[in-house]
Amino acid sequence: MTSPDLRHHGDVDAAPGLADFAVNVRVPHPPAWLRERLAAALGDLGRYPSKLAEERARAAVARRHGRSPDEVLLLNGAAEGFALLPKLSPRRVAIVHPGFTEPEVAFRDAGIPVEHVLLDGDFTLSPTRVDVDLTVIGNPTNPTSVLHSREDIKALPGKLVVDEAFMDAVPGEPESLAHDPDVLVLRSLTKTWGLAGLRAGYFLGDPETLAKLAHGRPHWPVGSLTLEAITACCEPEALEASRRFALEAAEHAAYALEQLQDVVVVPPKAPFMLIRVPRGTREALRDKGIAARRCDTFPGLDDTYLRVAIRPPEEFAVFVDALRVVMEELA
């Protein structure tokens, strides 16, 4: 069994009653228009998810990325996508760390050897030579908030799996590989649209690879509400709203960087930032009612690192003020 620490995620740190800077979902609930769409679909829950609804959702995703519907595999959140990856039967896997740990959990639990590609310093990629036939990387990477170039990612060995769960928070998505037919790209809708409790995501890839991933899934693998959410969030109006959110997120990240430039490890490109602080900071913040994501569960990091969700300035100021007090106390 995989170490339980690899299965630690921000929702565990964000206990009730704490100001939540541990979970990197953009909003606490879906916007009103999306809630209305989902509420309107409640009347269909007495029926099994229809083939028509599944095809409609796949077509919406395909249009959004300029792909064909057979290059789309709908998922119950990105986490399900990671759990399906061992079906590709790789001989040996490389995972770029620090990074999201669920892919490693899936491969190790399936008995597939995992090689770490550990980044340090500014956590950017450099030429990597490892004997593997599949490599997994996040872009932007969780928890470092680094955005890697497409060229650097394409230079990694083996079949590429790129976790782009936060790419829609990057204005213009300049480094996305969602249009590359040779890369398996994983997308999440839960971060931008406040759907963490519903679970909604998808794979983009070549039809043969997606067929391997889908083999053996239960019938009706994606529920009716998730299908409706995927369709709604890929329609033109939602994409325009997402574009605005990305621009807003970049402004918030610039503010957060200015406020915490003495502790930020690298300038954030996603709606969260990695900071380095004295040991005991997370616990002291918690005592003051503030939740931040511990990072010693990420390979390559220790308990001097914290991941902090970037909120609008008026909310983020609460974290900044608390951190300054804690840093003075610990000093």
Side-chain angles (χ1 to χ4, degrees):
M1 293 293 292
T2 308
S3 165
D5 281 347
L6 289 178
R7 305 221 73 169
H8 180 96
H9 299 296
D11 59 315
V12 178
D13 293 313
L18 298 177
D20 179 13
F21 294 90
V23 174
N24 44 26
V25 176
R26 185 184 67 86
V27 288
H29 49 69
W33 68 265
L34 183 52
R35 295 201 302 272
E36 291 170 4
R37 283 281 292 265
L38 296 175
L42 291 175
D44 294 330
L45 292 185
R47 297 190 290 271
Y48 288 98
S50 70
K51 183 68 173 175
L52 180 61
E54 189 260 344
E55 290 175 348
R56 184 164 153 254
R58 284 174 59 206
V61 173
R63 284 193 300 271
R64 187 252 186 273
H65 293 288
R67 307 288 292 256
S68 62
D70 63 352
E71 295 177 300
V72 177
L73 179 63
L74 306 178
L75 301 167
N76 278 303
E80 188 200 8
F82 295 127
L84 296 177
L85 287 176
K87 293 184 177 185
L88 299 181
S89 302
R91 172 183 52 85
R92 190 174 183 84
V93 172
I95 299 182
V96 179
H97 278 303
F100 192 55
T101 52
E102 283 298 316
E104 180 159 347
V105 169
F107 286 120
R108 289 196 181 279
D109 285 351
I112 297 170
V114 173
E115 177 95 10
H116 285 179
V117 176
L118 286 176
L119 307 180
D120 56 16
D122 60 1
F123 298 108
T124 56
L125 283 171
S126 57
T128 301
R129 298 190 179 210
V130 288
D131 182 21
V132 298
D133 47 15
L134 187 147
T135 297
V136 182
I137 184 172
N139 200 36
T141 300
N142 175 15
T144 63
S145 209
V146 169
L147 182 67
H148 305 286
S149 73
R150 287 179 291 187
E151 292 74 16
D152 286 344
I153 291 177
K154 291 280 284 184
L156 291 168
K159 174 123 183 122
L160 296 177
V161 179
V162 184
D163 172 14
E164 293 190 353
F166 295 96
M167 187 61 80
D168 62 353
V170 179
E173 303 185 8
E175 305 301 339
S176 175
L177 286 160
H179 296 87
D180 193 315
D182 298 323
V183 179
L184 188 59
V185 171
L186 184 60
R187 285 287 186 121
S188 169
L189 296 173
T190 63
K191 318 299 184 184
T192 290
W193 298 109
L195 292 171
L198 182 60
R199 318 304 302 131
Y202 50 86
F203 262 131
L204 300 169
D206 66 275
E208 182 179 352
T209 298
L210 296 186
K212 291 179 181 178
L213 293 170
H215 180 73
R217 290 176 89 194
H219 206 41
W220 313 290
V222 179
S224 299
L225 290 184
T226 296
L227 294 176
E228 183 66 22
I230 291 173
T231 302
C233 293
C234 288
E235 291 175 347
E237 296 83 357
L239 296 180
E240 175 57 25
S242 180
R243 185 191 69 80
R244 294 195 303 270
F245 295 152
L247 294 172
E248 184 179 73
E251 293 177 358
H252 295 169
Y255 170 83
L257 177 61
E258 178 184 354
Q259 295 298 305
L260 296 179
Q261 54 187 312
D262 53 332
V263 294
V264 173
V265 179
V266 289
K269 298 298 184 181
F272 50 88
M273 64 198 315
L274 185 68
I275 64 174
R276 196 164 196 184
V277 291
R279 284 185 168 86
T281 297
R282 183 176 68 89
E283 294 80 2
L285 285 169
R286 193 176 183 86
D287 290 342
K288 296 184 183 301
I290 304 290
R293 198 332 186 159
R294 60 182 280 209
C295 286
D296 57 329
T297 62
F298 292 100
L301 301 180
D302 59 28
D303 60 357
T304 64
Y305 291 91
L306 295 177
R307 189 194 72 195
V308 182
I310 297 174
R311 309 294 188 206
E314 62 275 14
E315 295 178 38
F316 199 73
V318 174
F319 177 83
V320 172
D321 291 344
L323 180 63
R324 286 173 178 159
V325 171
V326 166
M327 297 276 282
E328 289 179 4
E329 292 175 349
L330 292 178

